[in-house]
């Protein structure tokens, strides 16, 4: 059987229910728009690396074929039940709920394009929205199953959440790769035989001197390039809570390869890393007092200081690095 049939050369096509209609009929435009969305979802699937997400998309693509069969059928009150059922709609809602539990909240308008997969999901989402609008027009002139517009509405919401989740996962993977690169490229012993522990002791001594000078008991922590604790010092009277905070500030400075006060600016509402502090079990600290430790232009560890006001923590940390 040839791909071309020539039956549509006059500008008409056949519905699944056998009626002949014009190719610009609203019913044809509607299921054609759904077909566009299906193709855009296929593009997104080609970018996705997670097998479970790819399998989810493929299942939905097959359901869209059934939905298009509903759209290509001129229903009457005596017709058979629709192919898309309330159970299909409910399943999409359950998937959205599961994904929302993992997603970092975003209280700002999203600009698509942070990742290839995310952009493709956003493209599919906008096409589904257009299909929804087509369904509204179609309902004025023809009968369609009540589940069809509900399914399309939930699908557009699901695609939005999926786009944000894949972008979030890609950000985490990028940060992980950066940390691993530092770990794999940093030797345990520096030039001249100076170990990271020796360097940590020197930094802690200089930081403590500054803390004594400003009369604020501090906790000072130094980690290596992998975020592992090398040495930690708690001055008499320093807050117990500062033990974990200082260590996590040092870890954050290494993980993000930037001072924690700079990370704070990037995680404000509307900024690209908003909500990042909720990842990694809440270990990422986004207020001042954490700094990467550099040697010959490379990050070899991190320093974290806690115990005073943010400005005091930063001053003590800078004194430690300078010493």
């Amino acid at each position: 059987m040839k791909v071309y049939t020539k039956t549509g050369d006059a500008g008409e096509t056949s519905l699944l229910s056998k009626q002949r209609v014009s190719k610009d009929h609203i019913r044809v435009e509607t299921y054609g728009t759904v077909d566009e969305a299906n193709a855009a979802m296929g593009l997104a699937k080609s970018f996705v690396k997670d097998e479970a997400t790819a399998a989810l998309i493929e299942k939905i693509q097959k359901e869209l074929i059934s939905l298009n069969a509903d759209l290509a059928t001129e229903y009457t009150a005596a017709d058979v039940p629709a192919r898309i059922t309330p159970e299909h709609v409910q399943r999409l809602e359950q998937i959205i709920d599961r994904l929302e539990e993992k997603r970092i909240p975003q209280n700002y308008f999203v600009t698509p394009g942070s990742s290839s997969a995310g952009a493709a999901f956003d493209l599919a989402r906008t096409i589904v929205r257009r299909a929804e609008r087509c369904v509204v027009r179609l309902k004025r002139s023809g009968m369609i199953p009540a589940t069809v517009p509900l399914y399309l509405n939930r699908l557009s919401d699901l695609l939005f959440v999926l786009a944000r989740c894949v972008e979030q996962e890609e950000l985490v993977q990028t940060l992980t790769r950066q940390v691993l690169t530092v770990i794999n490229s940093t030797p345990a012993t520096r030039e001249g035989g100076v170990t990271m522990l020796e360097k940590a002791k020197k930094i802690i001594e200089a930081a403590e001197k500054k803390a004594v000078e400003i009369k604020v008991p501090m906790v000072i922590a130094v980690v290596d390039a992998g975020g592992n604790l090398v040495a930690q010092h708690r001055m008499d009277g320093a807050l117990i809570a500062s033990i974990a905070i200082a260590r996590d500030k040092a870890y954050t400075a290494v993980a993000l390869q930037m001072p924690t006060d700079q990370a704070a600016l990037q995680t404000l509402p509307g900024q690209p890393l908003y909500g990042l502090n909720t990842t990694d079990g809440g270990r990422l600290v986004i207020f001042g007092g954490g700094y990467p430790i550099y040697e010959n232009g490379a990050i070899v560890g991190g320093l974290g200081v806690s115990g005073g006001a943010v400005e005091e923590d930063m001053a003590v940390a800078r004194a430690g690095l300078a010493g």
Side-chain angles (χ1 to χ4, degrees):
M1 183 177 179
K2 293 183 178 181
V3 173
Y4 57 91
T5 63
K6 301 184 180 181
T7 58
D9 289 355
E12 291 187 343
T13 188
S14 294
L15 299 178
L16 195 60
S17 48
K18 307 304 182 183
Q19 295 93 335
R20 295 288 291 177
V21 296
S22 172
K23 288 187 177 182
D24 65 356
H25 190 282
I26 181 57
R27 187 173 291 276
V28 179
E29 182 180 352
T30 303
Y31 66 67
T33 305
V34 173
D35 194 33
E36 283 184 57
N38 199 330
M41 290 176 63
L43 177 63
K45 183 175 66 178
S46 71
F47 289 125
V48 168
K49 296 180 176 61
D50 178 62
E51 292 183 3
T53 302
L56 168 63
I57 295 304
E58 186 160 349
K59 181 175 179 62
I60 293 174
Q61 286 181 289
K62 292 177 180 178
E63 291 176 357
L64 285 180
I65 294 174
S66 297
L67 185 140
N68 261 355
D70 281 338
L71 287 172
T73 302
E74 285 276 12
Y75 279 93
T76 66
D79 280 329
V80 296
R83 298 163 182 84
I84 293 298
T85 67
E87 286 71 27
H88 288 101
V89 178
Q90 185 179 28
R91 190 178 72 88
L92 292 185
E93 292 173 348
Q94 292 170 346
I95 296 170
I96 293 170
D97 291 340
R98 288 200 302 269
L99 291 174
E100 281 284 69
E101 292 177 359
K102 304 177 183 178
R103 184 171 74 92
I104 298 174
Q106 293 168 289
N107 301 319
Y108 55 91
F109 285 107
V110 173
T111 301
S114 296
S115 72
S116 298
F121 279 126
D122 278 318
L123 175 62
R125 170 181 58 83
T126 59
I127 298 174
V128 171
R129 287 294 193 194
R130 176 153 52 90
E132 237 189 314
R133 296 192 293 272
C134 289
V135 165
V136 172
R137 290 167 53 201
L138 176 59
K139 285 173 67 176
R140 297 193 186 106
S141 58
M143 183 178 293
I144 61 171
T147 51
V148 168
L150 296 179
Y151 186 95
L152 290 175
N153 180 269
R154 303 305 187 274
L155 177 56
S156 64
D157 291 336
L158 173 58
L159 291 171
F160 174 82
V161 176
L162 268 176
R164 307 292 74 78
C165 285
V166 297
E167 289 173 348
Q168 176 180 312
E169 181 62 26
E170 187 166 308
L171 174 61
V172 171
Q173 290 176 355
T174 298
L175 292 174
T176 301
R177 284 195 300 269
Q178 291 175 345
V179 172
L180 290 176
T181 298
V182 174
I183 294 172
N184 295 331
S185 63
T186 304
T189 303
R190 311 290 167 232
E191 294 181 9
V194 178
T195 66
M196 192 62 203
L197 178 57
E198 291 169 328
K199 181 180 286 291
K201 289 178 178 178
K202 183 179 179 181
I203 290 172
I204 289 173
E205 182 180 357
E208 183 180 10
K209 183 178 179 181
K210 180 66 174 178
V212 170
E213 178 186 319
I214 65 173
K215 299 180 181 180
V216 179
M218 297 281 191
V219 176
I220 306 153
V222 175
V223 300
D224 63 16
N228 305 297
L229 185 64
V230 175
Q232 187 166 30
H233 178 70
R234 176 175 176 253
M235 298 171 61
D236 290 345
L239 296 173
I240 295 176
S242 293
I243 297 173
I245 296 172
R247 184 184 65 242
D248 289 347
K249 283 184 181 181
Y251 169 82
T252 303
V254 169
L256 300 183
Q257 299 190 4
M258 67 174 71
T260 53
D261 59 296
Q262 290 184 20
L265 297 176
Q266 296 295 314
T267 54
L268 292 172
Q271 296 304 308
L273 299 183
Y274 175 62
L276 184 66
N277 57 301
T278 63
T279 65
D280 200 6
R283 192 177 178 188
L284 298 179
V285 178
I286 55 167
F287 51 89
Y291 290 86
I293 300 172
Y294 288 92
E295 187 171 283
N296 298 325
I299 295 177
V300 297
L303 168 63
V305 175
S306 177
V310 171
E311 294 78 8
E312 292 171 333
D313 291 352
M314 294 171 64
V316 170
R318 288 194 294 265
L321 294 175

